[in-house]
PDB file of all heavy atoms in Angstrom:
ATOM      1  N   ARG N 111     -45.132 -69.334   4.232  1.00 71.00           N
ATOM      2  CA  ARG N 111     -44.603 -68.510   3.134  1.00 71.00           C
ATOM      3  C   ARG N 111     -43.125 -68.161   3.342  1.00 71.00           C
ATOM      4  O   ARG N 111     -42.707 -67.019   3.183  1.00 71.00           O
ATOM      5  CB  ARG N 111     -45.427 -67.231   2.967  1.00 71.00           C
ATOM      6  CG  ARG N 111     -46.824 -67.479   2.424  1.00 71.00           C
ATOM      7  CD  ARG N 111     -47.567 -66.182   2.241  1.00 71.00           C
ATOM      8  NE  ARG N 111     -48.853 -66.390   1.593  1.00 71.00           N
ATOM      9  CZ  ARG N 111     -49.052 -66.374   0.285  1.00 71.00           C
ATOM     10  NH1 ARG N 111     -48.041 -66.159  -0.512  1.00 71.00           N
ATOM     11  NH2 ARG N 111     -50.246 -66.562  -0.226  1.00 71.00           N
ATOM     12  N   ALA N 271     -19.277 -44.621   6.318  1.00 96.00           N
ATOM     13  CA  ALA N 271     -18.086 -45.479   6.334  1.00 96.00           C
ATOM     14  C   ALA N 271     -16.972 -44.899   5.467  1.00 96.00           C
ATOM     15  O   ALA N 271     -15.785 -45.054   5.790  1.00 96.00           O
ATOM     16  CB  ALA N 271     -18.447 -46.882   5.863  1.00 96.00           C
ATOM     17  N   GLU N 360     -29.776 -34.258  22.649  1.00 91.00           N
ATOM     18  CA  GLU N 360     -29.356 -35.302  21.723  1.00 91.00           C
ATOM     19  C   GLU N 360     -27.964 -35.040  21.167  1.00 91.00           C
ATOM     20  O   GLU N 360     -27.156 -35.959  21.012  1.00 91.00           O
ATOM     21  CB  GLU N 360     -30.377 -35.440  20.596  1.00 91.00           C
ATOM     22  CG  GLU N 360     -31.728 -35.979  21.071  1.00 91.00           C
ATOM     23  CD  GLU N 360     -32.717 -36.134  19.939  1.00 91.00           C
ATOM     24  OE1 GLU N 360     -32.577 -35.403  18.923  1.00 91.00           O
ATOM     25  OE2 GLU N 360     -33.628 -36.964  20.056  1.00 91.00           O
ATOM     26  N   ALA N 364     -24.562 -37.301  21.729  1.00 94.00           N
ATOM     27  CA  ALA N 364     -23.734 -37.806  20.631  1.00 94.00           C
ATOM     28  C   ALA N 364     -22.263 -37.457  20.842  1.00 94.00           C
ATOM     29  O   ALA N 364     -21.371 -38.267  20.559  1.00 94.00           O
ATOM     30  CB  ALA N 364     -24.238 -37.244  19.311  1.00 94.00           C
TER      31      ALA N 364
END
Side-chain angles (χ1 to χ4, degrees):
R111 290 182 174 270
E360 293 181 334

